[in-house]
């Protein structure tokens, strides 16, 4: 796979970082910016953000209907806002996990539990 495929908005992805023991967290803000670039937001207090500042290497696993890939790349903090950092990942390789033996039927279903959280999410997505 040479280019990032599209995936549905609000797909839960998994960010894996190093800089110590492996560390993985779910991220709900990942967006495709181009064939070899994606971006997401992390809260400024996240350990994953501190790890990426120390070691930019990362992996982002994306699981959605009909899609199962892991993106390997280097993260750059593009800018910090009041409560989040906008992180860009320049893609070095894309590992396609597709197999004729299985198919991903759906991604993780989730929702915000307050209007305030939903509004904050909208502001975050607009920053990406």
């Amino acid at each position: 796979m040479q280019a990032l495929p599209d995936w549905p908005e609000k797909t839960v992805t998994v960010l894996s970082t190093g800089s110590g023991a492996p560390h993985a967290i779910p991220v709900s803000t990942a967006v495709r910016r181009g064939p070899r670039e994606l971006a997401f937001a992390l809260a400024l207090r996240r350990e994953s953000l501190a790890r990426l500042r120390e070691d930019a290497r990362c992996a982002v696993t994306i699981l959605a209907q009909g899609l199962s890939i892991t993106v390997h790349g280097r993260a750059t903090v593009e800018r910090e806002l009041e409560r989040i950092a906008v992180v860009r990942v320049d893609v070095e390789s894309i590992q396609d996990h597709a197999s004729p033996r299985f198919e991903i039927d759906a991604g993780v279903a989730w929702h915000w539990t307050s209007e305030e959280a939903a509004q904050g999410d909208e502001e975050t997505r607009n920053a990406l």
Side-chain angles (χ1 to χ4, degrees), residues 27-80:
V27 174
S28 64
T29 57
V31 296
R32 180 187 189 274
R33 282 197 178 162
R36 304 287 287 182
E37 182 180 312
L38 63 88
F40 52 83
L42 289 175
L44 295 175
R45 59 178 167 62
R46 286 280 184 190
E47 180 180 345
S48 293
L49 183 59
R51 286 168 172 260
L52 289 173
R53 290 182 196 280
E54 191 171 312
D55 182 350
R57 295 174 299 166
C58 65
V60 179
T61 301
I62 305 167
L63 300 169
Q65 183 177 5
L67 180 63
S68 176
I69 65 172
T70 299
V71 175
H72 300 270
R74 294 193 166 274
T76 302
V77 176
E78 286 188 333
R79 66 188 183 281
E80 288 187 14

